[in-house]
Amino acid sequence: MGEVSHRSIKPLQVNPIKLSEPMGATLAFLGVDGCMPLMHGALGCTSFAKVYYTRHFAEPIAIQTTAVTDVTAILDGGDYSIVEAVKNITRKVTPSLIGLHTTGLTETKGDDIRQVASQIDFPLVWVNTPDYEGGLESGWGKATRAMIEQLVEPTEAIDDSKVLLLPHVSLTPIEVEKIKEFIASFGYEVLALPDLSTSLDGHLGEKQAALSSGGIRVEEIRGLAEAGMVISVGDSMLPSAAALQKKNPFLRHHHFPHLQGLAATDALVELLLQETGLSRPHPAIVRWRARLQDALLDSHFSLGQTRILVAGEPDQIAGLCASLHEAGGRVAVAISTVDSPQLERIPAARVLVGDLEDAEALCGACDLLVTNGHGEALAHRCCKALVLRGFPNWEEVGNQLKNDVLYEGGAYFLFECANAATAAREGHVGSDRSDQKKEE
Amino acid sequence: MADKPKIRELLDESACAHNKSKQSPCNAPTPGATSGGCAFEGAQISLFPYADAAHLVHGPITCLGASWETRATKTSYPGRDLTQMGFTTDISTSDVVFGGEKKLLSAIDYIMAHYTPEAVFVYATCVTALIGDDIDAVCRHAAEKYGVPMVPVHAPGFVGSKNLGSRIGGEAALAHLIGTKEPETTTPFDINLIGEYNVTGDLWQYSPLLGELGIRILSTLSGDGRIKEIRTAHRARLNVIVCAKSLISLTRKMEERYGIPTISLSFYGKRDTSAGLLAIAEALGDEGLIERTKALIAREEARLDGKLQPYRELFKGKKAVLNTGGNKTWSIASALQDLGIEVVATAVKKATEADRQKARETLGEAGVLMMNPGAEQAKIIDDTGAHLLLAGGRSLYTAIKKGIAFADVNQEKKKSYGGYDGLLNLAEDLKNALENPVFENVARRAPWEK
């Protein structure tokens, strides 16, 4: 472990990677079947989130706004605009749930949304998500926790065949599906909250729905406290796990900071073997472990001489860095959007909270950048290899099917990084980039 | 607790002239039934293309974090393109409690030290407007300190729509930039392009032609714009509004203050481009220029016609439905007609009365003007046997269902369709759409569904 700094010392963000709590909450609500996220703020808060996710997932995104104006910003405590919004939404569609979340604007004016929510006779979960606190991960985590607190029915009964997965926000839809299937192969019925694996996985539906289609159903959420085991992935999901534990003191909670790489996946298998009493996992898992071992060897020639800069959400970069480190990848710099206990565990020479301006200043000695779509311009300017991960990625299609987790995804991720680094070393990236520059 | 009727009354200002004809008066958005961007976004759009200025968003992370690097507004500025950078004070809880002015000033200091821009635009956002940060005072102070324009932009999202925000952006440029510097030289043919944002390089499709005619673009607001140039905009002979409506109040004020007349036009399609060039020449009122322009139009049209010939063969008998907004409702329709495609319907839901009239003239009596395109377009495709749907991404499903070709003319557009050469880009994209087998393949039934 290297030097860790938990705070940025700049008075501003330049080229931010950071996203807001309302953005995270929106996404969490989209992991519920038939849900309409309702952002309590001005038009733009919602419009930006909608366009952003539409481009990232290349899918229609359901979301509505309470459309706070200069008049309602001052005179309304939320009673008018929220109640009116619910009325107008339910006039056109019948959501299974409305996910009401605040913004910096409505938190600053001090709306008591809990009180307003109590006046509404419609299934609704409310959550405070000021965008001047936390970030994407905490917004997703808070919305998940709110769904648990407000929907899950308390019980003392336990269904040992049932497992609940609490995934952090940066796990892609296919990654959530892979983790669910992995656990299910041990004989469990697995649910995920939130579950983007069936809603924003990019499936072509019969028609374009006005609400989220797919995801965990509201009835399923209500019964989650009887899950015998809860597996949280990412530190941002710990408060949600704790909230669920309150609903049923007998459920067993196990936490994984991330599920990337050999060691983390081994730990999950060990737990599941222990819980089930089985002696071996499904043969496919055994095969994939051997493939990952081979991938570690095949990629270590390239990665072992590669200096890497990783930037993104804390739970996500913790996993990416661990996975690269296992194959000898030298993570020179890891940049996190916000502070997190994860930063202490990241195997990097330097870990800091920052932005892509910091990345630009520190990437000189690196060969490979692993970050979001805003890294494209940076990689271009600095002639670095680039592997695109995280929000947003508008440069490529297929984000929802990118898989880096467990033995299988780990192997693909190492190959992708090793190949990108090799190509850069052999000058493909450098010459391509300089050609482009000439054209411009 | 707020009194509901009172809010309703305030939003329904009965003295407004437009109140009788409009469902939601004074452009108040309806909670739970509305989409589209806010005033901050509009201000961004109108000012961000100044690549030599820093754009500092004073607010929490959402406003900038979700919006930087989203618009392909290209620049020829040789320095670092600051449009494609994100600057935000990313205010925290303590800033909300104690005020964010100090942080804002430090942020400006940081930007001046590291990026030395020609100007800094400081955008208020909902939260910093609500807590009452005095961005005017901070900007005044910083402008004195650095001797560089610091432009406060008061377009927090809650004041209204994107359109209003663009107007506020224009006002900010008028108040703090226009008229603050004299041009080194002037010519009788100096013009300002207003509302041209150079998205995908649209401006560059026709600016070489203006140059060839001896018409000088003195400044633009704001596509491929420069701070130094917009400061001299008051010396232009003519304001040319390229996008239909968002900056009309700016040009009106420039007319009152500096006596600069205004014309409004479009550079989409062959006929509009030709008419636009001629309109500029006529407004500048020089016989020689008008003659030169006519000759250039004849030459360009002939050149274009030659290149379009193979496409026209391909498009013969093809019908299109167009679902977009604003001036695109008729300007793209007219471009399609230039390609020999019959436009059977266009959406006028998001168009002004003037745009609707223009759409009617463009499409003729038989064309359908769709007031509710989402519901109408599928039936019109069936009724007319249309081959092509041009719309935003949301309508993709309609195209899949009907098994017809689809072209995105809103957000996904990556190439410029402006000017004469842009029409060739459009033709190529439509050819690719019509020849693409993807819609047939996607509509294929699964073996277990047969």
Side-chain angles (χ1 to χ4, degrees), chain A residues 331-374:
Chain A
V331 183
V333 184
I335 300 178
S336 173
T337 50
V338 290
D339 191 15
S340 159
Q342 290 272 33
L343 304 196
E344 295 292 338
R345 295 188 207 115
I346 291 176
R350 189 158 176 205
V351 184
L352 64 147
V353 173
D355 51 34
L356 287 180
E357 185 194 49
D358 299 324
E360 190 151 355
L362 295 170
C363 75
C366 299
D367 322 295
L368 171 69
L369 312 179
V370 182
T371 188
N372 68 18
H374 290 305

Side-chain angles (χ1 to χ4, degrees), chain A residues 222-422:
Chain A
R222 291 192 201 281
L224 283 180
E226 37 163 71
M229 193 164 38
V230 174
I231 294 177
S232 54
V233 183
D235 284 11
S236 59
M237 300 314 283
L238 283 168
S240 297
L244 200 61
Q245 189 83 67
K246 275 195 189 153
K247 297 280 180 170
N248 186 347
F250 299 105
L251 55 79
R252 297 183 304 287
H253 169 228
H254 301 278
H255 180 65
F256 293 84
H258 61 82
L259 281 178
Q260 281 186 255
L262 188 69
T265 314
D266 277 352
L268 177 64
V269 173
E270 211 170 307
L271 168 74
L272 293 171
L273 290 177
Q274 225 167 49
E275 284 278 344
T276 54
L278 294 171
S279 58
R280 274 174 84 81
H282 190 277
I285 292 177
V286 176
R287 292 286 294 167
W288 270 115
R289 188 177 191 279
R291 287 181 189 135
L292 174 57
Q293 284 177 304
D294 196 47
L296 281 159
L297 283 175
D298 293 349
S299 62
H300 92 276
F301 298 107
S302 171
L303 290 175
Q305 50 179 321
T306 302
R307 277 171 182 74
I308 309 162
L309 182 145
V310 182
E313 297 294 329
D315 286 344
Q316 176 199 24
I317 62 171
L320 293 170
C321 293
S323 176
L324 289 164
H325 182 69
E326 283 182 351
R330 294 157 196 274
V331 183
V333 184
I335 300 178
S336 173
T337 50
V338 290
D339 191 15
S340 159
Q342 290 272 33
L343 304 196
E344 295 292 338
R345 295 188 207 115
I346 291 176
R350 189 158 176 205
V351 184
L352 64 147
V353 173
D355 51 34
L356 287 180
E357 185 194 49
D358 299 324
E360 190 151 355
L362 295 170
C363 75
C366 299
D367 322 295
L368 171 69
L369 312 179
V370 182
T371 188
N372 68 18
H374 290 305
E376 174 74 23
L378 173 61
H380 196 136
R381 268 196 302 280
C382 305
C383 294
K384 303 292 180 189
L386 175 68
V387 168
L388 285 165
R389 286 298 184 273
F391 294 101
N393 181 1
W394 299 324
E395 305 289 330
E396 298 176 331
V397 287
N399 292 310
Q400 61 275 48
L401 302 184
K402 277 188 176 174
N403 175 22
D404 299 336
V405 296
L406 305 171
Y407 300 133
E408 182 185 347
Y412 290 129
F413 177 64
L414 292 180
F415 290 143
E416 190 182 340
C417 290
N419 289 335
T422 301

Side-chain angles (χ1 to χ4, degrees), chain A residues 10 13-16 18 20 44 47 55 64-65 69-70 75 79 84 88 131-133 204 208 357 374 381, chain B residues 1-2 8 30-32 34 36 38 60 62 68-70 80 85-86 88 90-91 93 110 115 158 394 442:
Chain A
K10 292 192 296 191
Q13 289 242 356
V14 183
N15 295 346
K18 193 179 163 190
S20 68
S47 156
R55 283 180 70 179
Q64 257 305 340
T65 171
T69 64
D70 44 0
L75 294 182
D79 307 63
E84 189 78 4
N88 284 323
D131 49 5
Y132 45 76
E133 275 175 17
L204 182 64
Q208 188 203 325
E357 185 194 49
H374 290 305
R381 268 196 302 280
Chain B
M1 202 203 298
R8 175 60 83 190
T30 317
T34 201
C38 66
T62 300
W68 73 284
E69 263 195 328
T70 46
R80 182 156 181 187
M85 290 187 67
T88 179
D90 180 26
I91 59 156
T93 310
Y110 185 95
Y115 296 95
F158 57 63
R394 263 190 236 211
V442 168

Side-chain angles (χ1 to χ4, degrees), chain B residues 118-321:
Chain B
E118 293 292 321
V120 179
F121 290 95
V122 175
Y123 299 79
T125 59
C126 290
V127 173
T128 52
L130 208 59
I131 63 175
D133 276 0
D134 189 349
I135 65 167
D136 290 319
V138 173
C139 284
R140 252 195 324 272
H141 176 81
E144 270 169 34
K145 185 171 172 184
Y146 294 105
V148 159
M150 301 279 162
V151 184
V153 184
H154 294 278
F158 57 63
V159 300
S161 66
K162 201 149 85 174
N163 197 285
L164 176 66
S166 292
R167 268 183 269 166
I168 294 171
E171 293 288 310
L174 182 64
H176 296 274
L177 294 172
I178 295 171
T180 59
K181 210 178 172 113
E182 291 303 323
E184 279 162 22
T185 55
T186 54
T187 80
F189 303 139
D190 282 356
I191 63 167
N192 299 318
L193 295 175
I194 308 286
E196 163 61 83
Y197 304 137
N198 200 30
V199 176
T200 64
D202 278 348
L203 163 62
W204 298 333
Q205 300 285 7
Y206 59 84
S207 57
L209 300 178
L210 294 174
E212 192 185 329
L213 291 169
I215 297 168
R216 184 172 75 157
I217 302 171
L218 181 64
S219 80
T220 67
L221 201 155
S222 51
D224 197 18
R226 300 286 185 282
I227 293 299
K228 205 170 82 188
E229 292 174 356
I230 192 69
R231 296 179 69 178
T232 67
H234 59 297
R235 294 294 177 217
R237 302 299 173 100
L238 180 68
N239 271 336
V240 178
I241 297 190
V242 183
C243 179
K245 59 185 171 176
S246 64
L247 291 164
I248 283 173
S249 52
L250 169 75
T251 53
R252 175 180 55 77
K253 286 181 187 173
M254 286 180 78
E255 194 155 1
E256 288 163 9
R257 206 174 288 180
Y258 305 112
I260 305 171
T262 304
I263 57 169
S264 175
L265 46 86
S266 147
F267 283 107
Y268 275 112
K270 184 180 82 174
R271 283 171 297 163
D272 283 355
T273 302
S274 298
L277 291 171
L278 195 59
I280 294 172
E282 282 170 351
L284 289 169
D286 180 273
E287 281 309 320
L289 177 64
I290 293 170
E291 284 317 306
R292 285 204 303 279
T293 306
K294 282 181 178 161
L296 179 131
I297 288 169
R299 185 195 76 197
E300 286 296 310
E301 288 198 351
R303 187 181 65 90
L304 181 67
D305 282 340
K307 287 191 177 174
L308 282 180
Q309 204 42 49
Y311 291 106
R312 286 222 180 86
E313 301 285 316
L314 192 82
F315 296 149
K316 200 174 277 171
K318 293 283 187 283
K319 296 174 189 167
V321 171

